[in-house]
Amino acid sequence: MSENLVIIPTYNEKENIRNITKAVFDRIDTHILIVDDNSPDGTGKIADELSENEYKGRLFVLHREKKEGLGKAYVSGFKWALAREYRHIFEMDADFSHNPDYLPLFLEKIKDYDLVIGSRYVKGGGVQNWPFFRMLISKGGSLYSRTILGIPIRDLTGGFKCFRRVVLESIDLDNLLLSGFGFQIEMNYRTYKKGFRVFELPIIFTDRILGKSKMSQKIFFEALLMVIKLRLRVKETPISLPPAGSSASDKPR
């Protein structure tokens, strides 16, 4: 039983699913959970085949009835993870925009932090193959959200992360306000407001080569409007944390 779980949500990722699972397994000792939203292109079927053959006992598939947004897919994955004895739970895209080469670095940093965020907007981080306008709305969105929420995290919208299980156990996953793109902002905000230790690991984000992006300007701007609601309604109480590097806080229950 691995103590690590990489959650990869999928919707029409048949071009990437085989390669991304192999790449993750090649980098770290982990299990993978594919959360598929009933992909019409057969991604879920391919994932089942991988689970039953090449990666039996290491790759698992959670099938959802329909596409309901990134947030709900991840919440389903988090609950699946917390029902088992995983200590470190990753979020990661299927399209290689999140480079699997960074995974060992996440595991090094999570020894001393409670949430490690793959950050495009700290020194050493960056983005490749993005048009100027997309870069502008992404960096502007993080700046706007950081200002409204009053927290120092520079990349609030990125989706390449590693949580210690204690973080997910402390958040009421059934009562999150935001789904879709805003889900990432809310999870970062709630984690920080509870007093957990957050580290931004610089990464280079590369836009997808195969498949179609699920992101749209409409989703993005709707998320930014919801940030104000998040600021007004979420009042988290910091929890008592053990010293950095201690494993006591994420001991499986």
Side-chain angles (χ1 to χ4, degrees), residues 74-216:
Y74 269 127
V75 166
S76 295
F78 292 159
K79 290 181 177 180
W80 190 95
L82 294 177
R84 293 156 179 84
E85 295 186 348
Y86 295 106
R87 291 179 59 197
H88 308 132
I89 297 100
F90 288 79
E91 294 183 16
M92 185 177 182
D93 288 348
D95 60 9
F96 282 91
S97 56
H98 298 153
N99 190 333
D101 287 343
Y102 290 113
L103 290 171
L105 300 179
F106 275 86
L107 286 180
E108 282 298 313
K109 286 298 180 182
I110 203 65
K111 295 175 182 177
D112 298 314
Y113 295 89
D114 304 297
L115 168 60
V116 179
I117 300 171
S119 180
R120 299 161 291 182
Y121 306 135
V122 294
K123 184 177 180 180
V127 174
Q128 292 181 343
N129 302 330
W130 264 12
F132 174 77
F133 182 71
R134 186 171 179 187
M135 172 71 81
L136 182 65
I137 64 172
S138 177
K139 294 190 75 170
S142 279
L143 175 61
Y144 165 84
S145 301
R146 186 166 76 245
T147 302
I148 295 295
L149 298 175
I151 60 176
I153 299 171
R154 297 191 63 83
D155 193 344
L156 277 169
T157 61
F160 196 8
K161 301 176 183 176
C162 181
F163 293 92
R164 293 173 77 186
R165 76 177 284 126
V166 65
V167 177
L168 300 180
E169 288 174 332
S170 73
I171 293 174
D172 186 352
L173 297 173
D174 290 321
N175 286 298
L176 297 176
L177 299 176
L178 310 185
S179 188
F181 186 70
F183 167 80
Q184 303 294 2
I185 299 172
E186 180 168 5
M187 289 298 293
N188 290 335
Y189 183 58
R190 288 184 182 272
T191 299
Y192 179 83
K193 292 294 284 184
K194 281 186 173 292
F196 286 109
R197 296 171 289 258
V198 179
F199 180 80
E200 292 192 79
L201 176 73
I203 65 165
I204 301 299
F205 178 98
T206 304
D207 201 13
R208 68 163 55 235
I209 298 173
L210 297 174
K212 183 179 179 181
S213 174
K214 316 303 186 298
M215 181 60 182
S216 70

